[in-house]
């Protein structure tokens, strides 16, 4: 009966209300998503999620199976890390877990003897935006949930990648903080790392968060030290030139030179 019920007339708010319950109240949301797949709810309401089914991954890094299986494991991992957060942050983490690999179906290819998904971070932004549009997700309690989820999708590999090179400067952390909440990004990245079969070293995400906290940018970028009102008494008139000057100062501030 459930599988035969039409779903195309459901308002976005009703669909989101049920999905939010699954993401925030279930101890293992993957059980609900598995049932939703069996009832064809996933295919009918969330085509971006349906595209993950059968999308292969390199066995060395993802012995658990396809992107769908991996995503469900990440969702369950993320669920264990949100209890102490406020509702908007909980939603950001859980939707980030759902959407983080939406770019893999369009970027996955067999190259040099391996299955690779080059550029799937950026490739996931458009389908993630479509998914959020379908749910009418924007701001909650003054927090731009949509922006943060898309930021997580676009940058979820950064903690692991930056940990490998170790030569990433403080300026890179300050600039990334302009695009996404680094603490929430670290939580999702840790869930992504652990949401696999096998034993993997996920200490990179702890290192990433420690660096962000040491710089004081785990929640937001540095406040601008110099503002337009500081330049007015010096004779600088408002306009494009002032804006360029302020931005040049801020870029040097991000690099630690100011």
């Amino acid at each position: 009966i459930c599988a035969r019920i039409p779903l195309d007339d459901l308002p976005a708010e009703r669909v989101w209300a049920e999905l939010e319950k699954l993401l925030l109240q279930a101890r293992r949301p993957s059980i609900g998503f598995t049932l939703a797949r069996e009832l064809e709810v996933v295919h009918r309401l969330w085509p971006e999620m349906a595209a993950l089914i059968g999308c292969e991954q390199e066995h060395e890094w993802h012995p658990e199976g396809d992107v769908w299986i991996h995503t469900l494991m990440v969702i369950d991992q993320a669920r264990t890390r949100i209890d102490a957060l406020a509702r908007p942050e909980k939603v950001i983490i859980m939707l980030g877990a759902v959407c983080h690999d939406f770019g893999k179906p369009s970027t996955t290819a067999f190259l040099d003897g391996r299955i690779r998904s080059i550029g799937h971070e950026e490739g996931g932004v458009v389908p993630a935006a479509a998914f959020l549009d379908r749910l009418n997700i924007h701001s909650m309690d003054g927090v731009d949930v949509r922006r943060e989820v898309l930021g997580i999708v676009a940058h979820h590999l950064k903690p692991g990648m930056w940990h490998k090179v170790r030569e990433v400067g403080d300026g890179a952390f300050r600039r990334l903080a302009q695009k996404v909440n680094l603490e929430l990004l670290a939580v999702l990245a840790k869930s992504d790392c652990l949401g696999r079969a096998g034993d993997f070293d996920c200490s990179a995400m702890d290192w990433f968060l420690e660096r962000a906290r040491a710089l004081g940018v785990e929640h937001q970028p540095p406040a601008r030290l110099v503002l337009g009102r500081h330049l007015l008494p010096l004779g600088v008139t408002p306009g494009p030139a002032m804006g360029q000057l302020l931005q040049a100062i801020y870029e040097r501030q991000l690099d630690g030179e100011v």
Side-chain angles (χ1 to χ4, degrees):
I1 293 174
C2 288
R4 291 197 305 268
I5 293 176
L7 303 178
D8 53 1
D9 61 341
L10 289 176
E13 291 73 19
R14 179 63 189 276
V15 176
W16 168 241
E18 298 303 325
L19 181 57
E20 184 179 19
K21 291 177 191 175
L22 175 61
L23 292 173
L24 302 191
Q25 296 182 26
R27 303 311 303 178
R28 287 183 57 201
S30 62
I31 297 173
F33 281 110
T34 299
L35 178 60
R37 176 183 173 182
E38 293 174 5
L39 296 176
E40 297 190 1
V41 170
V42 173
H43 287 82
R44 290 188 286 167
L45 292 184
W46 308 313
E48 296 82 13
M49 284 198 79
L52 307 179
I53 299 170
C55 183
E56 296 185 17
Q57 303 182 105
E58 181 59 36
H59 185 269
E60 179 181 354
W61 301 109
H62 290 283
E64 68 278 358
D66 65 14
V67 183
W68 168 262
I69 294 173
H70 165 62
T71 296
L72 295 193
M73 295 177 71
V74 175
I75 290 170
D76 282 354
Q77 282 287 338
R79 178 61 186 85
T80 68
R81 293 173 169 78
I82 64 170
D83 285 342
L85 300 176
R87 177 183 173 234
E89 284 72 30
K90 290 180 179 180
V91 170
I92 290 166
I93 291 294
M94 297 308 296
L95 286 178
V98 171
C99 299
H100 79 285
D101 273 349
F102 276 6
K104 282 189 173 178
S106 64
T107 60
T108 298
F110 191 72
L111 301 170
D112 302 323
R114 285 179 173 269
I115 299 172
R116 301 179 185 274
S117 303
I118 299 173
H120 79 270
E121 281 185 298
E122 283 298 329
V125 173
V126 170
F131 179 79
L132 297 178
D133 285 344
R134 197 172 292 108
L135 295 170
N136 196 24
I137 297 295
H138 295 282
S139 294
M140 293 181 188
D141 302 333
V143 177
D144 193 340
V145 171
R146 179 189 176 90
R147 175 185 181 274
E148 293 294 340
V149 172
L150 295 181
I152 282 176
V153 172
H155 302 288
H156 68 272
L157 295 183
K158 290 289 193 305
M161 292 169 57
W162 286 7
H163 181 259
K164 286 182 180 178
V165 296
R166 293 294 186 108
E167 297 177 358
V168 177
D170 294 345
F173 279 82
R174 296 186 183 108
R175 287 183 171 85
L176 185 59
Q178 293 179 294
K179 302 174 182 177
V180 64
N181 181 306
L182 300 190
E183 184 166 62
L184 300 183
L185 177 64
V187 172
L188 185 280
K190 187 71 170 284
S191 302
D192 185 22
C193 181
L194 293 172
R196 298 180 283 179
D199 185 18
F200 293 92
D201 181 5
C202 299
S203 60
M205 295 72 200
D206 301 323
W207 166 87
F208 178 87
L209 184 54
E210 288 174 6
R211 281 283 303 269
R213 286 174 172 168
L215 294 169
V217 295
E218 70 272 27
H219 296 138
Q220 58 191 10
R224 291 174 179 265
L225 295 174
V226 180
L227 303 173
R229 59 185 172 84
H230 298 132
L231 300 184
L232 291 175
L234 302 178
V236 182
T237 57
M242 174 185 280
Q244 293 170 5
L245 179 58
L246 290 171
Q247 187 59 33
I249 295 170
Y250 190 56
E251 290 298 327
R252 294 187 65 179
Q253 178 187 338
L254 294 176
D255 287 326
E257 298 174 10
V258 174

